[in-house]
Amino acid sequence: MARLLVESVNAQAAENCCRQLYNRVKALLERHPLWQKRVLLLSADQAPVKILRGKARYNVLMKLLVHPETEALVAAVTGLAR
């Protein structure tokens, strides 16, 4: 499992950022069909703890197969999140 967590004091900003990040991950997977085969689940939604310390929380979740290519995918996704 990989989780990209977005937090903001502005709930709409957190949701928008989460959706943008989800779309960027989806586009990355479309450009790399072999990576796409390693992803069992890709979703974007509110985090289980919706608000923590006054910040709204959203996350992009990915369930991945264990495979050598998965590390390259996680590294690429981590680069998108910065």
Side-chain angles (χ1 to χ4, degrees):
M1 290 290 286
R3 175 182 182 209
L4 304 170
L5 179 66
V6 176
E7 293 182 316
S8 177
V9 293
N10 181 321
Q12 189 62 48
E15 183 178 8
N16 290 342
C17 183
C18 181
R19 294 289 170 205
Q20 288 175 2
L21 190 54
Y22 171 82
N23 290 333
R24 291 171 71 183
V25 170
K26 198 170 177 183
L28 177 69
L29 292 173
E30 288 172 1
R31 290 191 307 269
H32 295 89
L34 292 177
W35 288 353
Q36 194 170 15
K37 291 179 181 181
R38 309 294 178 231
V39 178
L40 301 175
L41 170 75
L42 176 64
S43 70
D45 204 357
Q46 281 187 320
V49 177
K50 295 173 177 76
I51 298 176
L52 183 65
R53 292 187 285 270
K55 294 181 181 178
R57 299 160 40 101
Y58 284 80
N59 54 214
V60 175
L61 293 175
M62 296 186 334
K63 186 172 184 180
L64 308 167
L65 290 173
V66 175
H67 192 275
E69 293 173 3
T70 303
E71 288 185 30
L73 168 59
V74 171
V77 168
T78 301
L80 290 175
R82 293 178 186 197

